[in-house]
Amino acid sequence: MTVTPEVSSLDYTNGLVVNGFSVPGLATRRVQTEVELENGQSFVIAGLLNNQTQEQLNKVPGLANIPLLGKLFESRSLSKSNTELLVMVTPELVRPIPAGVAGPEIQKPLPFLKDSSSSAPRTPGAAVTGPVSPLVKVDSLPIEVIKNAEQPPTVGLGVPQNANPPLQAPPISSPLLQGNAPSSNLPGNPNR
């Protein structure tokens, strides 16, 4: 059996500051080993140590900068934490279920979603959502119309007449939009 335990913790000393937010880094400790065990035997992995020391300094602005007397207006706090990760593994060998034998049932103390529907959810049909409309091809605008719409017309000494003129689109001459389209242009027609 191959065992690879891993533990991660937030590491603020190797963090980043992105758009004013502090994003901490990850300190990861990992170990890997291979062992041979009998059914029901146990083994233990230890030694994933984490020693952290944090020092915090608080000062009174201005008064803490006075020589000799400034030490009276500051305080230091030191916190140490020592942790060790201990991994204990007890393997249990299982045999496959023979063919034709029913699988084991899971005993549940309460019914799972007892007030829910017994049928699986599905997408509603066309009777609920309505028929699918055919695709309509719309002619594109010429580039000259778009360029002219971006520049407001000027009056007199180059003063814009209207700062935000409405966009004028040319009439669309598509037979699909005028209602007299031949049936061979519609999508999904087998006569195309």
Side-chain angles (χ1 to χ4, degrees):
M1 173 173 56
T2 302
V3 181
T4 310
E6 174 182 315
V7 62
S8 299
S9 59
L10 296 178
D11 186 8
Y12 290 95
T13 59
N14 292 324
L16 298 173
V17 177
V18 179
N19 292 334
F21 294 101
S22 176
V23 180
L26 285 179
T28 304
R29 293 168 287 144
R30 178 182 305 121
V31 66
Q32 179 178 0
T33 185
E34 292 184 8
V35 293
E36 293 182 9
L37 295 173
E38 290 289 334
N39 187 22
Q41 285 183 335
S42 297
F43 79 100
V44 176
I45 299 176
L48 293 174
L49 300 174
N50 185 13
N51 298 324
Q52 290 184 346
T53 304
Q54 292 182 347
E55 184 177 2
Q56 187 174 9
L57 175 65
N58 294 325
K59 292 182 175 183
V60 176
L63 297 177
N65 296 333
I66 299 173
L68 299 175
L69 294 177
K71 296 292 182 184
L72 298 173
F73 299 101
E74 67 181 33
S75 66
R76 294 177 185 262
S77 63
L78 186 67
S79 65
K80 295 182 179 180
S81 65
N82 299 324
T83 58
E84 181 177 3
L85 179 66
L86 179 76
V87 179
M88 182 180 295
V89 178
T90 304
E92 182 179 346
L93 300 178
V94 294
R95 304 276 181 245
I97 298 173
V101 176
E105 290 189 18
I106 299 174
Q107 300 297 327
K108 300 177 185 173
L110 296 173
F112 181 70
L113 298 174
K114 65 178 181 176
D115 296 331
S116 64
S117 173
S118 59
S119 63
R122 65 180 202 81
T123 305
V128 176
T129 60
V132 179
S133 60
L135 296 176
V136 177
K137 181 183 176 193
V138 178
D139 293 338
S140 60
L141 292 174
I143 190 68
E144 293 81 18
V145 173
I146 297 173
K147 284 183 179 179
N148 291 338
E150 292 176 355
Q151 299 173 355
T154 57
V155 176
L157 300 173
V159 178
Q161 180 180 356
N162 186 0
N164 295 321
L167 182 63
Q168 297 288 332
I172 299 174
S173 61
S174 174
L176 291 175
L177 296 178
Q178 294 176 356
N180 56 2
S183 61
S184 62
N185 289 342
L186 294 176
N189 191 346
N191 296 330
R192 288 177 75 178

